[in-house]
């Protein structure tokens, strides 16, 4: 039995561009580097996850990930999150007979217990577990079983869209709302919330 985690990662010098008002390019690079390590370290501790797959077009991201002992897939085609996830999913669904969990690398507060608790919500397939962002608009964590249950549709207002797509497939949808999973680091306001929780030592 096999449950795969897929982690999409933008090039370290390009990711978190919406923070460019408050962080220099070097600071954003260091932040992205920290978030990549943090995400892999957390996922390595989650017992229910059998394989971790990082998808990126950045050779440094792929090298770091392999050094940490996780699988990688090189993104191809137009640089876009749903394309990258589709490619990783094509590979993982050959093996992931217990489904896939999508974990964006910009959830700085998550712990391995949060991921385990999220996965504990899964039902018999077809099923989807989803944790929206703190505005209940975006999608911050997604579990699908079977792995190809829906076509990924990340982007503006993806929370309701992902729920609708899964229901169209007759899947049982569980909405899980853990506030740590709900905090993704997108805009300066998110960064201010994080600074007050002292979880980003690399930039302090
Ligand atoms: N492989 C891959 N990952 C992506 C791509 N776009 C976003 N991601 C990753 O998907 C997750 C969520 O992305 P966003 O919240 O949009 O973060 P971001 O793209 O770094 O942020 P901005 O540059 O501010 O738009 C992060 O782990 C990103 O690194 C992409 O085109 N390819
Ligand atoms: C891509 C998404 O969000 P963001 O880029 O705002 O993190 C999403 O939630 O579907």
């Amino acid at each position: 039995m096999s449950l795969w985690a897929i982690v999409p990662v933008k090039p370290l010098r390009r990711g978190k561009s919406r923070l460019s008002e408050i962080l220099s390019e070097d600071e954003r690079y260091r932040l992205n580097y920290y978030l990549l390590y943090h995400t892999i370290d957390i996922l390595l501790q989650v017992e229910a996850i059998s394989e971790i797959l990082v998808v990126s077009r950045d050779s440094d991201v792929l090298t770091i990930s392999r050094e940490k002992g996780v699988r990688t897939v090189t993104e191809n085609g137009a640089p876009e999150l749903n394309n990258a996830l589709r490619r990783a999913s094509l590979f993982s669904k050959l093996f992931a007979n217990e489904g896939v969990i999508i974990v964006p690398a910009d959830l700085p507060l998550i712990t391995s217990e949060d991921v385990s608790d999220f996965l504990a919500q899964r039902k018999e397939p077809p099923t989807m577990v989803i944790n929206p962002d703190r505005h209940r608009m975006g999608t911050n964590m997604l579990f699908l079983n079977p792995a190809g249950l829906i076509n990924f549709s990340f982007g503006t207002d993806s929370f309701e869209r992902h729920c609708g797509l899964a229901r169209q497939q007759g899947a049982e949808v569980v909405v899980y709302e853990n506030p740590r999973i709900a905090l993704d680091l997108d805009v300066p306001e998110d960064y201010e919330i994080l600074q007050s929780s002292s979880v980003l030592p690399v930039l302090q």
Side-chain angles (χ1 to χ4, degrees):
M1 299 299 274
S2 183
L3 193 162
W4 284 50
I6 299 178
V7 183
V9 186
K10 227 177 176 178
L12 297 174
R13 291 220 169 264
R14 289 182 190 260
K16 296 299 126 206
S17 57
R18 281 170 284 172
L19 296 178
S20 58
E21 283 168 40
I22 56 163
L23 296 179
S24 68
E25 190 185 324
D26 277 351
E27 287 171 326
R28 280 181 279 129
Y29 174 86
R30 279 158 47 211
L31 174 63
N32 288 325
Y33 191 91
Y34 166 82
L35 288 169
L36 172 62
Y37 269 82
H38 164 78
T39 308
I40 294 176
D41 285 342
I42 294 296
L43 294 177
L44 285 169
Q45 294 166 47
V46 178
E47 218 172 293
I49 294 175
S50 35
E51 298 287 343
I52 302 168
L53 180 63
V54 168
V55 56
S56 185
R57 60 181 188 279
D58 183 330
S59 56
D60 287 347
V61 169
L62 298 169
T63 303
I64 292 166
S65 304
R66 283 195 288 263
E67 281 170 2
K68 291 191 71 68
V70 310
R71 292 173 186 262
T72 59
V73 62
T74 309
E75 197 176 327
N76 67 352
E80 199 266 329
L81 176 56
N82 294 306
N83 284 342
L85 289 174
R86 193 174 312 119
R87 181 163 166 81
S89 171
L90 275 177
F91 182 66
S92 64
K93 75 183 177 194
L94 297 174
F95 310 99
N97 59 4
E98 280 189 299
V100 294
I101 175 175
I102 310 300
V103 184
D106 64 347
L107 306 177
L109 295 181
I110 58 166
T111 65
S112 52
E113 287 75 25
D114 293 330
V115 181
S116 297
D117 292 348
F118 173 86
L119 286 172
Q121 309 303 312
R122 66 205 143 120
K123 309 288 185 206
E124 286 302 307
T127 188
M128 179 177 95
V129 186
I130 186 166
N131 200 123
D133 67 15
R134 65 194 178 92
H135 309 289
R136 298 191 100 242
M137 306 289 276
T139 304
N140 279 10
M141 200 173 277
L142 190 67
F143 169 79
L144 301 173
N145 191 13
L149 178 71
I150 58 168
N151 290 325
F152 297 109
S153 190
F154 282 85
T156 312
D157 298 346
S158 64
F159 168 50
E160 287 298 344
R161 206 165 45 248
H162 281 141
C163 292
L165 287 168
R167 289 191 182 110
Q168 274 171 25
Q169 297 303 316
E172 184 167 357
V173 172
V174 181
V175 176
Y176 188 60
E177 297 200 56
N178 174 326
R180 282 183 298 276
I181 299 176
L183 186 70
D184 57 343
L185 183 47
D186 283 335
V187 293
E189 186 189 54
D190 302 320
Y191 188 77
E192 280 156 27
I193 295 173
L194 284 169
Q195 273 191 315
S196 59
S197 66
S198 326
V199 291
L200 294 175
V202 70
L203 294 175
Q204 286 170 354

